[in-house]
Amino acid sequence: MTKTVEEKQRVVVRFAGDSGDGMQLTGDRFTSATAVLGNDLATLPDFPAEIRAPAGTVHGVSAFQIQFAATDVTTPGDRADVLIAMNPAALKADLHTVEGGGTIILNEDAFTPRNLEKAGYAQDPRHDGTLDGYQVYEVPMTSLTILATEGVGIGKKEAERAKNMFALGLLSWMYGRPTDVTLQWLEGKFGGRHEILDANVAAFKAGYNFGETTELFAHSYKVEAAPAEPGTYRNIAGATALAWGLVAAADRSGLPLFYASYPITPASELLHELARHKSFGVRTLQAEDEIAAAGIALGAAFAGHLGVTGTSGPGMDLKAEMLGLAVIMELPMVVVDVQRAGPSTGMPTKTEQGDLLLSMFGRHGESPMPIVAAATPGDCFDAAIEAVRLAVTYRTPVILLSDTFLSNSSEPWRVPEVDSLPAVDPRFERAREDGGRFLPYERDERLARPWAVPGTPGLVHRIGGLEREDLTGNISYEADNHERMTHLRRAKVEGIARDIPPLEVDDPGGDAELLVLGWGSTLGTIRAATRRVREEGRSVAAAHLRHLHPFPANIGEVLSRYPKVLIPEMNLGQLALLIRARYLVDARTYSKVQGLPIFADELEHEILRALDE
Amino acid sequence: MGGGEGERGLVDTLSKKDFTTDQEVRWCPGCGDYAILSAVQGFLPELGVEPHKTVFVSGIGCSGRFTYYVDTYGVHGIHGRAPAIATGIATARPDLSVWVVTGDGDGLSIGGNHLIHALRRNVNIKILMFNNQIYGLTKGQYSPTSEEGKVTKSTPFGSVDHPFNPIAVALGAEATFVARTIDNDRQHLTEVLRQAAAHRGTAFVEIYQNCNVFNDGAFDLLRDKPQGSRSQIRLEHGEPILFDDDMRCVAVGDNGRLIVANVDDVSPDSIVVHDVHGRPSLAFALAHLSHGPTEPTCIGVFREFGRPVYGDAMEDQMRRATERLGKGDLSGLLHSGDTWTVR
């Protein structure tokens, strides 16, 4: 039977199954094939904190969503066009994520009375009207996988585990994804274990062929490659991009990178990635706790390395005292906060932007630190380089904010030319052989003090947490000195505003009344929502902050141009609080704290509401 | 700051002056810290390591001020965290001589975790823990080494906390060098420092230090001259453990338990011969010989053995990775994995 091919502009696919079903891997491989095809894309892994929650239950469901398109993609999509549900629990957990009229592909074999009960279904949802209005396909994925893997020499249990490859094969056919990318990857992954490789290849091909031959599916879809700037591309997740940004910044600056960290979700990904790059001279140290990780990074910074520590919210609470020490010692250091939903342990695998005010004010005393925020997975690379630049140039600890969504999700990324990446000169203080007096707190034109590294003759000095006397760095409790030093530390950080690009405003018509101001990972949503609003013929302006402290110098002027300012945040209005306090602007907050990104249609609705008020 | 560092080509011309800053020392008159400072400054020149290749790191408490008085690079950190900061310095820079100065509150209470992990990792740092069994800088609360029943401002009815035995803690963390000495015994202190400095890896040195303001006399039994030495059980590797003018000894008693006895009361075979390289059980038993410095107590090196040094192992991994993969190529990294080209 010849099947028709229908062209689509954009599609959102969501894979959902048990934590042990390999849905993240399936999504990841689908993403790679999609990236290689040249679609623009964005992904959203969505998994529970439990490693293996009881099989078949709703809290054990792990999902992976991808939006891919022939045009620009800025978010993983609000709702799925297609849901692949590997068991009843996955259907139960994720049905609400499917667009009305959307497609649902079920693993028929998993819909046993026992599994239905474990998922909390009193009745079979396939037959009680639950799925009315959706296009439902039931495919016996488990049994077809077992059938396909007969003869490769593995047991039934192991064969069953390849059913995610069946699902991947089916979706690969449905959306015309290249198969060679997946087959090559399987070869590399299981090359040493032939029967496992054969089983996975057989399952993948069976799924692909099932789509092509069965009469169940009338047609497949085609999504053309998206136009893109010439260059070499790869798909990259935020965690990888951030780690590589640190490696690149260190490499370009000639500084050895020293990353100390304590395991914490989701920041552990950075430690895992950096630990692989020893041949770049990267030192990684898994510390005994969060405090030690910060202390070790600070010690390394004192010793002349690029000291970096990374964590998530709960770890930031613990690192606060060491960051205060770094502030008064005025040493370069970067602390990465991959924000997650709080307070306390909160929801470790869910995203939030709840740590902005913590980053601003979460230390005792007047203790200013620059804050840089990454906006997209690929942008984590540039944001890391920028954080290092500020830390080294200004001899200050810098907070680099990422979040769970950025860390886990991925997008196509144009690989930069190494020569185009900025290099920061560490400007180490030179040895003094002449016996001249060294002043550890003498400042340059940016108010940065010398970075005088142990081992250098003539620069022996002591620094620490007690207030320093201006210039000499000796301990001082003198009243005027403390006031002077407090102002100097602030002026140094505020001065960064002169050294960062002005806030750019996207206001195509120049006639917008409303400015949508964002920061961090909401960038994609804001782009998608403002585009939709403009497509409806309305004017709206948008601006996005990379630097949260200090703000770009022109922000006050930008804010004053717009009668209305809307600030969407995955918190209860933290940026809005800063903007209102500092610029006396009646900014309004659009807040979402569900552990999920803001959806484009939610923000679109909010923008229209604000425009109509 | 500083300015006292004299740069010289020949390290053998170093003197105490080269390790002394221009800062006024501000401990209470009569504090045991003065004696330790003087002994350390007097000892450092013989190491032959120039001041600019030496780093002192301290925490908070009276001991924390030590950093300001030694004319080397220094970090006066925050409470309890000196071993962490020093781990960063020593791991980043194996070429430096890194010393940590801490106290019983700083090292064993708020910083206990960092201390045991530095010992476990065997970072190449020398930790001097001034134990005065009291919180001095905060004006006299009981510390994690204060004896049970200790009456202080925070324990007006006596402390109900059981104290740490710092030597046993260090041995338990498998420290590769564990020793104890006394602030006012300059010769013994210097000899222990010498051995600690010669040790590759973490050296832990507990120094009994008198706080003459808040806990005066805590170590009198061992410290008073001249009779104090009669209660010091001096450990010497390879030597029978005798003290009190060889009249008393440490011997093996019933069930293999170590006891303090008169030499005349035990058979010569039962007198313990000290072995710093031996099993930890001997060192543990010696650490627990007394219940505190109010009984005859061991001083000297309890245990020393070799184990890979943390920074060395890390350098080694980096060297091997570079041999295998070549020096990191940034462009290669960024292009690794699946890529595609848009023309």
Side-chain angles (χ1 to χ4, degrees), chain B residues 190-232:
Chain B
T190 302
E191 180 50 33
V192 167
L193 290 177
R194 197 172 282 140
Q195 292 183 58
H199 177 74
R200 283 279 300 157
T202 312
F204 177 80
V205 179
E206 178 190 14
I207 304 173
Y208 281 161
Q209 174 247 322
N210 190 47
C211 173
N212 57 320
V213 174
F214 295 107
N215 201 19
D216 196 25
F219 308 101
D220 276 0
L221 179 76
L222 307 171
R223 195 173 175 272
D224 262 8
K225 286 173 179 169
Q227 76 275 16
S229 62
R230 295 185 52 196
S231 298
Q232 297 173 1

Side-chain angles (χ1 to χ4, degrees), chain A residues 109-177:
Chain A
D109 295 323
F111 280 71
T112 62
R114 192 170 146 66
N115 282 348
L116 288 165
E117 193 195 320
K118 276 201 274 187
Y121 277 124
Q123 290 162 314
D124 193 331
R126 295 174 299 173
H127 311 308
D128 68 355
T130 302
L131 304 183
D132 286 358
Y134 298 99
Q135 272 189 288
V136 181
Y137 298 96
E138 293 185 49
V139 182
M141 298 189 203
T142 312
S143 47
L144 289 174
T145 299
I146 292 170
L147 212 61
T149 55
E150 264 177 12
V152 303
I154 59 166
K156 192 176 146 198
K157 266 238 155 350
E158 275 189 285
E160 264 187 41
R161 294 183 54 192
K163 64 181 180 294
N164 62 333
M165 285 298 123
F166 184 96
L168 180 60
L170 178 56
L171 267 289
S172 296
W173 166 78
M174 189 175 277
Y175 291 101
R177 307 291 98 178

Side-chain angles (χ1 to χ4, degrees), chain A residues 575-598:
Chain A
L575 175 62
L577 184 75
L578 294 176
I579 294 291
R580 291 173 73 101
R582 195 157 299 175
Y583 301 101
L584 300 177
V585 168
D586 188 18
R588 96 193 232 177
T589 297
Y590 176 63
S591 161
K592 179 175 180 181
V593 282
Q594 298 179 9
L596 287 167
I598 298 171

Side-chain angles (χ1 to χ4, degrees), chain B residues 80-307:
Chain B
R81 318 299 174 210
I85 295 168
T87 293
I89 297 170
T91 309
R93 295 283 303 280
D95 57 311
L96 300 172
S97 170
V98 183
W99 296 72
V100 168
V101 177
T102 182
D104 41 316
D106 188 63
L108 285 172
S109 204
I110 194 166
N113 200 33
H114 309 305
L115 179 73
I116 57 173
H117 286 274
L119 298 175
R120 163 178 79 84
R121 290 194 184 100
N122 202 30
V123 184
N124 195 26
I125 56 178
K126 315 303 158 205
I127 300 173
L128 310 182
M129 199 195 79
F130 302 179
N131 181 8
N132 56 17
Q133 302 190 348
I134 200 78
Y135 279 89
L137 199 66
T138 51
K139 302 197 173 84
Q141 299 81 11
Y142 75 104
S143 91
T145 55
S146 297
E147 65 277 17
E148 281 179 53
K150 181 83 177 171
V151 174
T152 70
K153 282 180 189 156
S154 58
T155 50
F157 302 103
S159 162
V160 292
D161 281 28
H162 182 72
F164 264 136
N165 177 332
I167 297 292
V169 169
L171 290 168
E174 295 196 52
T176 53
F177 181 97
V178 181
R180 176 190 285 144
T181 183
I182 300 176
D183 57 1
N184 69 343
D185 189 335
R186 187 177 182 123
Q187 205 182 355
H188 190 266
L189 175 58
T190 302
E191 180 50 33
V192 167
L193 290 177
R194 197 172 282 140
Q195 292 183 58
H199 177 74
R200 283 279 300 157
T202 312
F204 177 80
V205 179
E206 178 190 14
I207 304 173
Y208 281 161
Q209 174 247 322
N210 190 47
C211 173
N212 57 320
V213 174
F214 295 107
N215 201 19
D216 196 25
F219 308 101
D220 276 0
L221 179 76
L222 307 171
R223 195 173 175 272
D224 262 8
K225 286 173 179 169
Q227 76 275 16
S229 62
R230 295 185 52 196
S231 298
Q232 297 173 1
I233 306 174
R234 294 186 169 228
L235 304 173
E236 305 279 352
H237 176 64
E239 300 291 331
I241 305 177
L242 303 168
F243 67 105
D244 196 3
D245 289 333
D246 294 353
M247 291 190 302
R248 290 193 280 170
C249 68
V250 176
V252 181
D254 296 340
N255 297 325
R257 196 171 299 163
L258 296 193
I259 53 166
V260 171
N262 291 319
V263 170
D264 294 342
D265 297 344
V266 295
S267 89
D269 298 352
S270 68
I271 297 175
V272 175
V273 175
H274 188 45
D275 179 6
V276 295
H277 310 306
R279 285 174 301 163
S281 52
L282 172 63
F284 265 111
L286 292 169
H288 286 106
L289 199 62
S290 70
H291 294 94
T294 51
E295 297 171 13
T297 299
C298 295
I299 63 169
V301 180
F302 285 71
R303 191 169 189 227
E304 182 183 15
F305 66 103
R307 193 146 59 75

Side-chain angles (χ1 to χ4, degrees), chain A residues 233-234 283 321 455-456, chain B residues 52 71 73 81 315 336 340:
Chain A
Y233 285 77
R234 59 173 304 122
R283 286 168 180 78
E321 67 160 359
T456 320
Chain B
H52 70 260
D71 203 6
Y73 282 90
R81 318 299 174 210
E315 298 276 321
S336 61
W340 67 96

Side-chain angles (χ1 to χ4, degrees), chain A residues 334-573:
Chain A
V334 174
V335 52
V336 184
D337 177 7
V338 188
Q339 301 165 94
R340 67 188 216 191
S344 190
T345 311
M347 300 197 289
T349 59
K350 305 295 179 188
T351 200
E352 205 158 278
Q353 293 180 304
D355 299 351
L356 176 57
L357 294 181
L358 169 79
S359 303
M360 276 297 291
F361 304 118
R363 295 162 296 283
H364 68 274
E366 295 289 347
S367 179
M369 280 176 71
I371 305 167
V372 173
T376 73
D379 182 56
C380 288
F381 182 83
D382 298 319
I385 292 177
E386 174 64 358
V388 172
R389 180 183 76 88
L390 295 181
V392 172
T393 306
Y394 290 87
R395 318 304 202 203
T396 176
V398 173
I399 292 180
L400 171 55
L401 291 176
S402 174
D403 63 34
T404 308
F405 168 58
L406 283 181
S407 182
N408 292 342
S409 62
S410 66
E411 65 175 355
W413 179 61
R414 188 153 66 124
V415 181
E417 291 298 328
V418 166
D419 291 341
S420 73
L421 300 174
V424 193
D425 180 358
R427 294 177 293 118
F428 288 123
E429 191 69 7
R430 295 219 181 92
R432 292 194 184 176
E433 311 286 2
D434 58 0
R437 191 169 186 211
F438 170 58
L439 295 169
Y441 279 77
E442 198 168 30
R443 294 170 191 279
D444 68 11
E445 68 285 0
R446 294 187 183 88
L447 301 181
R449 70 172 200 89
W451 193 2
V453 172
T456 320
L459 306 182
V460 157
H461 66 289
R462 272 75 46 194
I463 54 176
L466 289 169
E467 182 60 286
R468 324 313 299 179
E469 184 180 65
D470 195 11
L471 303 174
T472 67
N474 289 334
I475 304 171
S476 170
Y477 298 156
E478 206 258 311
D480 289 345
N481 178 75
H482 175 56
E483 186 146 51
R484 184 161 62 249
M485 293 300 277
T486 304
H487 282 287
L488 275 170
R489 285 187 288 263
R490 183 172 75 171
K492 178 175 82 164
V493 172
E494 295 298 330
I496 290 173
R498 292 189 289 272
D499 193 16
I500 58 177
L503 182 63
E504 273 183 46
V505 184
D506 169 32
D507 184 1
D511 61 344
E513 297 242 306
L514 171 70
L515 173 72
V516 180
L517 180 67
W519 68 279
S521 71
T522 52
L523 177 65
T525 300
I526 292 171
R527 279 192 182 151
T530 50
R531 182 165 56 202
R532 289 185 200 180
V533 169
R534 286 169 193 160
E535 280 165 7
E536 291 162 48
R538 310 292 297 267
S539 285
V540 61
H544 212 72
L545 289 164
R546 134 109 56 245
H547 298 91
L548 279 307
H549 189 219
F551 289 130
N554 68 331
I555 186 172
E557 183 270 316
V558 168
L559 288 165
S560 71
R561 295 211 301 259
Y562 294 92
K564 294 176 184 174
V565 177
L566 175 65
I567 303 182
E569 293 182 84
M570 294 186 289
N571 59 44
L572 298 184

